[in-house]
Amino acid sequence: MRRKHKARPGFQRLEPRQLLTVSLPIEVADFRDDFPRRAAAPTEGWAYLWNAPAGWSNSNPGNLNSAAIDNPETIYQPLQPAGSLLTPDGDLKFNDSHPSSALYFSATGGHAGSVKQLSSGARYNGQDRYAIAAFTVQEAGVYELTDSFIQLDDLRSSGLEVRVFVNRNKPLILQTVEAKQRIGFDARLGYLRAGDTVHVAIGAGVNIAWDHFLVDFSIVRHTSRVESLARFGRDVISHNSRSPWTYMWNAPTGWVEGGQRGNLNTSPIGATSSYQPLFESGDVWVPDRSSDSRSPTFSMQLDSDGGAPGAAWQQSSSFQDRYLIVRYTIPTSGNFVVSNSYLRVNDSRSDGVEVVVHREDGTRVTGDSIVAKAGSSKSFDLLLGDLSAGEHIYFAFGGVNNANYDRFEMDFSIDRVYPRELPLRELVPTKVLHVTEFGATPNDGLNDWHAIEAALQQVAKNNQAVEIRLTPGTWDLYPSNTLESDEYFFDLLRYQNLTFNGMGAEVLIHDDKRGLFRVLDSKNVILRNLVIDYADKIGDRYRPRTFTQGIIRSLDPAARSFELEIDLVGFIAPDASFTSAATGSWGYAVDPNVAGRLKFNSWLNYPTYEVQKVSGNRFRIRTEFTEGLAVGDRYVLQRRYDHPLFNVAAYSQQVSLIGVRAYTASSVFVSSNLSEALNVIRSSVTIRPDSGRWKSGNADGVHAQSNRVGPWIEDSRFQGLGDDVMNFYTLPYTITKRNSLRTLTLATINHDTLGNVGSRSLRIGDSFKFVNPLTGAVIQTARLTDVADTRQSVIIQGRTEMRDMVMVTFDQDINGVVVGNSPAGESDGFRNETTVFNEGLSRDFLVERNYIADSRRFGNYLMADNGELNHNIYVGLSDQAILGRNESGWPLGAWPSNVSIRSNSFYANGLSARYLRQPQVYGTVDFHMNRLPNVSVNRDVREIRRLKIVDNHFQYWRKAAVSVRNAEAVTILDNTFSDPLGNFGSPVKVKFSTFL
């Protein structure tokens, strides 16, 4: 470990408390800090290079057509010390050698070499010449290039190109910087092995005149993002029928155990259909249990320490080598690596053992084989990449020229690489408190708030890991004047290492408004094994408090009203609290056969303007319109408030809901705001079984706003929700004041008003994107160098009010932006002025193995960066199952990028009138850019980047199964499509996009 991630040189730091995070990445390299001073040797790991022509020297230009930057055969040459600079020839006489020209690096920047110039003469140069800064990592892990910028100050320059690539792979970043421009080139490097090299290469544009640049960047390693799934040596001794391991060999055609040896020319390595199983024989696995060593198996065997291969032949032989093969079956889709591997041959008489790693079709992951020579050890750590569940990876071990003395030792791990830190699943308590010890008893119908609160208060006095436990049964919470908060029953402020274990108990909430838990500025909190319902128990029925439901018995379109007949034993009578004016509530029609599912071709919501009792159990509901409704429809009318059932806020970290079930919620099931690493595991918000209900929660399942580390949602169920199942986004900012060319005052936009924001939500080095919402175009990107809290008066609905804001300074002048704090800005809800996004928020999320069904609006609404959605089932959603875009009309977050959608199933989504009729809706999985007035960007611009939509199944789809617009580096592969519900043409529609 070298040092922790820090701010850029010259940037002011926030206080340590403001730099709170789940797990700060470890900085392993920094260009400026590490640059060698005055002929000193490069800092460990660094090399400074250029793509010199083959045969080049100070007096010989060499082969000027050779050494292309992207040719894997090019051997980059080191730069030499020249005072405080590094140059190709070690002197400061620029332009005295060709084609290096003025190429150099300094401690703050440098200059590129000659550009490609094919005209004849002394300046001929067949390839662009790049200045290359390379860093070799010493430890395997997940890496990121961050805090980067390149700046070109001279207006006369024709521009520069910057490339970021690992080893000699394709560029992860390929960008141009124009004259008088400063841009970032941050890159997610992914999992790197020890010895992998990160290259930053900078080349000239049209010419090399006036191309001096300033540059800086850091390389950091993320911790806790890799999980070991299997280890050969550990697992082989516990081999069973459900093991992901299979032990095999490439048997010749016609080979019979104890009999014929078969055709020795057949079954080359990679021909997986020829592979035959090994048999368990004591502590080893062998191909032949019935005879002594014979050709071609000889001494072939496998054990937990390694083994011995079969026959190996000279290259001139037509016989095939016989390999000992270990097959691993990928258990779940994701990104995988081979780590902690070694292949060792101890006998000095051996001519070596090779390992070949390949896929089902024989494609080699290793490229060339990896050979361990006699008396040596060799690593075969590998990047397996993105794989789908059920795919096979083969590890084949064979002799080189013969099988003599080829006993080898080996071991390796299969690891999965995740897009964020692993979730908190367990805390070991040093103390257990039982709520019954504080005066409460389950199943008595009395208010249990005081006892639970007393237990929590006792925990607050401890600095140790504590678990609070309920007793199985029913616990009740009632509204009370003694509650400190009119928003939540329990506030967890600055708690650490707390487990609240319901032990399977059910909590009945006899309150329409309050949430259950609000977690504030807390770390490592687990809420588990709990059942919740906002309901009153009436006999043997649970009557929900957050919504009612009934049958439409009459309809009056002219009056925009209908009569609703309600079962008043099982459901409450609606009153004024169900109107939009009171709670912003609405109703909607439900499918006649499937509870929770929106009625086909009806609208998403019908605002409730008035509720009148007609007689008995009939109520007249006046709404905005009645189109899409009919007599006999099932209809739900919800009473929606603003307080989530669980609210994780104010910089909390690693808060986990595990085994939590909710049947209702007046608002969101779980919300996370300005926090890090919310985890929802084996939890659910669904319709209560055998209740006759037609819905569950009134709002989102998971609502993640402006989190620095995003949610981890795993093995959970969501059904019958009244809004998006999951919504991940960042609130944008508007500019309320220009303090100077580089300093602005920002406030958050919250729908049609301005919210409060504090400096603690920002970090020095965060990248900000300035967007014109009228066109969807990015105006500028800049990096934060300083931040301070401030307050400013603003105009809100004609009134002057004070708001908490931030005064921020950037690393460059901010140009072409429109200030939003004005009467004109207030009148349009601050939507038309420049929208500002912090790209450091709403990153890194995982949604895996969830059931997402029969709910209103979207399954996953993505305005977030760097996430995976794997093995989920999406069925009966009213609109897009997965929607990735910015939303200018609300406004909400920016465009998503770096999203992988793999091995999911989609059935019969897209039911609403909005989905079916509006031209801005494109498909079940839908990515596009949005601009005001809430329409698609209909031009060839691409701000969505690096999408992977692979190995998914779509059935009963409408419009399109997959629609991608305005995206760059897209992969759409191996998906299956069946039974479209209409004649929609191709299931995949791509426009204004490029493929990887």
Side-chain angles (χ1 to χ4, degrees):
M1 181 181 296
R2 182 183 137 156
R3 56 181 182 264
K4 290 196 172 181
H5 179 56
K6 59 175 181 54
R8 297 268 26 84
F11 289 3
Q12 296 183 28
R13 296 173 182 266
L14 297 178
E15 293 301 316
R17 182 60 177 165
Q18 293 172 299
L19 290 173
L20 189 67
T21 185
V22 171
S23 178
L24 282 172
I26 306 301
E27 183 185 89
V28 298
D30 180 89
F31 176 84
R32 290 192 172 187
D33 287 357
D34 298 342
F35 194 82
R37 311 296 180 184
R38 290 286 174 183
T43 304
E44 182 182 7
W46 281 100
Y48 305 92
L49 313 163
W50 72 297
N51 56 323
W56 178 89
S57 69
N58 191 31
S59 59
N60 180 7
N63 180 358
L64 292 171
N65 290 317
S66 66
I69 186 68
D70 54 2
N71 183 346
E73 304 301 321
T74 296
I75 300 175
Y76 301 151
Q77 298 298 321
L79 300 180
Q80 306 299 322
S84 62
L85 307 183
L86 295 174
T87 68
D89 53 9
D91 65 39
L92 299 176
K93 299 176 182 178
F94 298 128
N95 298 315
D96 68 338
S97 62
H98 181 68
S100 60
S101 188
L103 189 150
Y104 73 89
F105 271 125
S106 71
T108 58
H111 200 290
S114 296
V115 298
K116 185 175 182 178
Q117 186 171 321
L118 300 181
S119 58
S120 59
R123 296 290 98 183
Y124 178 88
N125 178 32
Q127 304 292 341
D128 293 329
R129 306 299 166 183
Y130 289 75
I132 305 167
F135 181 78
T136 300
V137 302
Q138 307 300 309
E139 183 177 341
V142 178
Y143 286 83
E144 187 171 357
L145 187 150
T146 186
D147 288 349
S148 65
F149 76 86
I150 183 167
Q151 180 174 325
L152 193 53
D153 284 334
D154 200 310
L155 188 61
R156 297 167 293 181
S157 173
S158 62
L160 290 170
E161 176 186 88
V162 57
R163 295 172 175 239
V164 179
F165 53 97
V166 176
N167 298 334
R168 307 307 288 275
N169 300 327
K170 292 181 179 180
L172 298 167
I173 296 292
L174 181 56
Q175 293 181 225
T176 57
V177 54
E178 305 297 337
K180 299 296 290 183
Q181 188 181 27
R182 178 178 174 129
I183 65 169
F185 50 93
D186 289 5
R188 297 182 181 277
L189 304 172
Y191 185 90
L192 302 183
R193 302 160 296 183
D196 283 345
T197 300
V198 181
H199 299 83
V200 175
I202 301 167
V206 176
N207 59 63
I208 61 169
W210 306 291
D211 279 352
H212 169 75
F213 59 82
L214 300 175
V215 71
D216 201 6
F217 60 91
S218 296
I219 296 172
V220 300
R221 187 180 76 253
H222 292 281
T223 60
S224 304
R225 291 196 178 190
V226 179
E227 181 182 31
S228 180
L229 301 184
R231 179 81 178 164
F232 170 79
R234 177 192 66 203
D235 299 344
V236 70
I237 58 174
S238 59
H239 181 68
N240 59 65
S241 60
R242 293 188 300 171
S243 169
W245 300 102
T246 305
Y247 312 126
M248 318 174 80
W249 71 295
N250 57 323
T253 302
W255 181 86
V256 177
E257 184 184 9
Q260 299 297 318
R261 68 178 188 173
N263 183 350
L264 297 182
N265 295 318
T266 60
S267 305
I269 194 66
T272 55
S273 61
S274 71
Y275 293 177
Q276 297 293 321
L278 299 176
F279 300 102
E280 189 170 2
S281 177
D283 294 332
V284 300
W285 278 260
V286 296
D288 193 337
R289 296 164 293 183
S290 61
S291 66
D292 296 331
S293 300
R294 63 188 181 94
S295 177
T297 58
F298 294 121
S299 300
M300 178 183 284
Q301 69 173 43
L302 177 72
D303 56 49
S304 59
D305 296 320
W313 312 97
Q314 299 289 336
Q315 292 292 328
S316 59
S317 173
S318 61
F319 292 166
Q320 298 294 332
D321 293 347
R322 302 301 157 186
Y323 289 77
L324 195 61
I325 301 168
V326 176
R327 186 183 76 183
Y328 181 78
T329 302
I330 299 298
T332 186
S333 297
N335 187 272
F336 295 87
V337 300
V338 178
S339 72
N340 298 311
S341 66
Y342 64 86
L343 173 61
R344 182 163 52 238
V345 180
N346 293 320
D347 198 314
S348 61
R349 296 169 293 178
S350 171
D351 59 358
V353 174
E354 69 171 353
V355 57
V356 174
V357 184
H358 68 82
R359 294 187 169 88
E360 187 69 38
D361 63 0
T363 303
R364 294 193 177 194
V365 181
T366 46
D368 295 333
S369 60
I370 297 170
V371 177
K373 297 292 187 181
S376 70
S377 182
K378 194 80 170 180
S379 167
F380 52 97
D381 286 2
L382 295 165
L383 309 181
L384 299 176
D386 292 329
L387 299 172
S388 296
E391 288 193 54
H392 296 140
I393 299 295
Y394 296 82
F395 299 82
F397 300 88
V400 176
N401 290 315
N402 61 68
N404 299 328
Y405 316 110
D406 279 352
R407 166 72 194 182
F408 63 89
E409 297 174 0
M410 66 85 176
D411 206 355
F412 61 96
S413 294
I414 305 292
D415 297 346
R416 182 170 174 193
V417 180
Y418 291 97
R420 52 147 278 192
E421 286 75 13
L422 299 177
L424 174 67
R425 297 182 185 272
E426 196 72 45
L427 288 169
V428 179
T430 58
K431 186 175 184 180
V432 176
L433 300 178
H434 296 273
V435 174
T436 52
E437 298 170 356
F438 294 83
T441 303
N443 304 316
D444 61 5
L446 300 178
N447 191 356
D448 296 307
W449 175 83
H450 297 87
I452 298 173
E453 177 68 11
L456 288 169
Q457 289 299 323
Q458 182 156 328
V459 171
K461 301 173 184 177
N462 290 276
N463 292 318
Q464 52 187 325
V466 178
E467 181 170 318
I468 294 176
R469 291 180 183 172
L470 298 180
T471 300
T474 300
W475 298 72
D476 296 274
L477 296 174
Y478 293 89
S480 169
N481 293 331
T482 61
L483 290 175
E484 294 182 3
S485 169
D486 60 358
E487 298 176 351
Y488 294 90
F489 280 97
F490 306 107
D491 276 330
L492 305 181
L493 176 60
R494 298 192 179 94
Y495 279 69
Q496 291 194 32
N497 304 317
L498 168 68
T499 300
F500 188 94
N501 192 339
M503 302 297 290
E506 179 167 16
V507 174
L508 293 182
I509 300 178
H510 308 277
D511 189 313
D512 309 329
K513 301 178 182 180
R514 286 183 177 87
L516 183 57
F517 280 103
R518 176 166 54 185
V519 185
L520 302 167
D521 201 5
S522 297
K523 182 177 181 179
N524 296 340
V525 174
I526 298 177
L527 308 170
R528 69 187 319 148
N529 302 332
L530 193 62
V531 181
I532 305 116
D533 201 357
Y534 282 80
D536 301 316
K537 191 170 184 181
I538 311 296
D540 60 352
R541 299 182 67 174
Y542 293 85
R543 185 169 66 185
R545 301 184 59 89
T546 57
F547 73 94
T548 192
Q549 65 183 49
I551 303 294
I552 295 178
R553 294 305 186 191
S554 67
L555 196 64
D556 187 347
R560 293 176 293 179
S561 67
F562 57 88
E563 283 193 15
L564 191 66
E565 183 181 66
I566 298 172
D567 170 12
L568 293 179
V569 176
F571 300 91
I572 58 177
D575 56 21
S577 66
F578 281 81
T579 63
S580 300
T583 58
S585 296
W586 60 78
Y588 53 94
V590 178
D591 186 275
N593 300 309
V594 183
R597 185 176 296 183
L598 191 79
K599 176 191 171 184
F600 182 76
N601 202 23
S602 64
W603 291 98
L604 287 171
N605 67 78
Y606 296 84
T608 306
Y609 290 161
E610 186 179 10
V611 176
Q612 291 181 332
K613 184 172 182 177
V614 177
S615 62
N617 64 346
R618 290 202 177 193
F619 300 82
R620 179 173 291 109
I621 311 299
R622 186 170 65 84
T623 183
E624 184 175 336
F625 58 92
T626 60
E627 182 191 359
L629 301 179
V631 172
D633 279 353
R634 303 203 289 187
Y635 192 86
V636 295
L637 189 64
Q638 61 184 23
R639 177 161 54 184
R640 174 167 171 169
Y641 292 93
D642 293 331
H643 311 309
L645 182 56
F646 298 95
N647 186 9
V648 180
Y651 315 101
S652 294
Q653 305 174 57
Q654 287 285 15
V655 176
S656 299
L657 274 65
I658 303 176
V660 174
R661 287 183 287 150
Y663 296 128
T664 50
S666 64
S667 179
V668 171
F669 172 52
V670 55
S671 174
S672 180
N673 175 35
L674 290 175
S675 293
E676 303 184 26
L678 168 71
N679 312 299
V680 180
I681 299 169
R682 299 190 308 279
S683 295
S684 65
V685 52
T686 59
I687 297 171
R688 188 176 189 114
D690 303 318
S691 65
R693 299 179 188 178
W694 299 334
K695 73 184 301 293
S696 61
N698 284 350
D700 301 0
V702 180
H703 190 96
Q705 179 191 97
S706 303
N707 293 285
R708 193 162 287 274
V709 177
W712 181 299
I713 317 297
E714 173 192 291
D715 291 324
S716 296
R717 296 179 66 86
F718 302 89
Q719 174 209 23
L721 287 160
D723 217 331
D724 306 326
V725 175
M726 300 180 204
N727 191 339
F728 306 160
Y729 69 99
T730 296
L731 278 179
Y733 308 94
T734 192
I735 303 168
T736 64
K737 182 180 179 180
R738 177 183 278 281
N739 304 81
S740 69
L741 288 176
R742 295 192 175 192
T743 301
L744 307 171
T745 299
L746 304 180
T748 54
I749 314 171
N750 194 349
H751 188 30
D752 56 359
T753 188
L754 296 184
N756 294 307
V757 61
S759 61
R760 190 173 166 187
S761 64
L762 310 181
R763 286 205 193 134
I764 301 303
D766 280 348
S767 177
F768 280 68
K769 184 173 290 185
F770 297 80
V771 178
N772 181 343
L774 300 174
T775 64
V778 176
I779 301 168
Q780 190 173 351
T781 300
R783 200 173 291 280
L784 184 69
T785 62
D786 193 21
V787 59
D789 290 309
T790 186
R791 286 177 63 81
Q792 184 176 314
S793 62
V794 295
I795 303 169
I796 303 293
Q797 297 179 352
R799 302 186 305 273
T800 299
E801 299 183 5
M802 297 298 294
R803 288 288 187 271
D804 294 332
M805 302 185 186
V806 287
M807 186 168 63
V808 292
T809 302
F810 295 99
D811 62 350
Q812 56 193 283
D813 295 351
I814 306 300
N815 301 305
V817 296
V818 179
V819 175
N821 183 29
S822 66
E826 193 272 338
S827 67
D828 60 38
F830 308 96
R831 292 177 176 83
N832 292 343
E833 290 69 40
T834 300
T835 305
V836 186
F837 294 103
N838 182 355
E839 295 184 290
L841 300 177
S842 296
R843 296 161 40 114
D844 309 336
F845 62 89
L846 180 76
V847 179
E848 188 160 280
R849 296 190 304 272
N850 301 288
Y851 180 74
I852 299 169
D854 301 323
S855 295
R856 181 184 164 277
R857 289 229 322 171
F858 315 122
N860 288 103
Y861 196 1
L862 300 179
M863 293 166 276
D865 180 67
N866 193 48
E868 296 181 13
L869 302 95
N870 306 317
H871 294 288
N872 302 292
I873 297 174
Y874 300 83
V875 58
L877 298 165
S878 71
D879 288 70
Q880 291 99 317
I882 299 175
L883 174 62
R885 68 168 190 185
N886 61 306
E887 185 171 313
S888 58
W890 186 266
L892 290 179
W895 314 280
S897 286
N898 301 294
V899 176
S900 175
I901 299 170
R902 184 179 285 266
S903 304
N904 303 283
S905 298
F906 302 88
Y907 303 101
N909 300 289
L911 308 166
S912 74
R914 172 190 172 276
Y915 183 94
L916 298 169
R917 303 182 199 183
Q918 289 191 4
Q920 306 298 325
V921 177
Y922 300 111
T924 300
V925 173
D926 185 345
F927 284 82
H928 65 273
M929 289 175 61
N930 178 269
R931 66 174 181 84
L932 286 175
N934 205 24
V935 297
S936 297
V937 173
N938 198 32
R939 57 193 177 90
D940 193 11
V941 58
R942 297 179 293 277
E943 291 294 338
I944 300 170
R945 296 186 173 92
R946 293 174 293 279
L947 296 181
K948 296 179 182 178
I949 304 172
V950 178
D951 190 34
N952 302 286
H953 177 63
F954 297 83
Q955 189 173 20
Y956 309 127
W957 48 274
R958 296 178 176 89
K959 287 197 169 182
V962 176
S963 175
V964 176
R965 299 160 62 96
N966 313 111
E968 180 179 285
V970 177
T971 300
I972 302 175
L973 187 68
D974 295 335
N975 301 288
T976 59
F977 311 94
S978 64
D979 305 309
L981 297 175
N983 184 17
F984 302 112
S986 172
V988 178
K989 295 179 173 62
V990 178
K991 192 172 184 179
F992 307 134
S993 299
T994 62
F995 287 94
L996 185 64

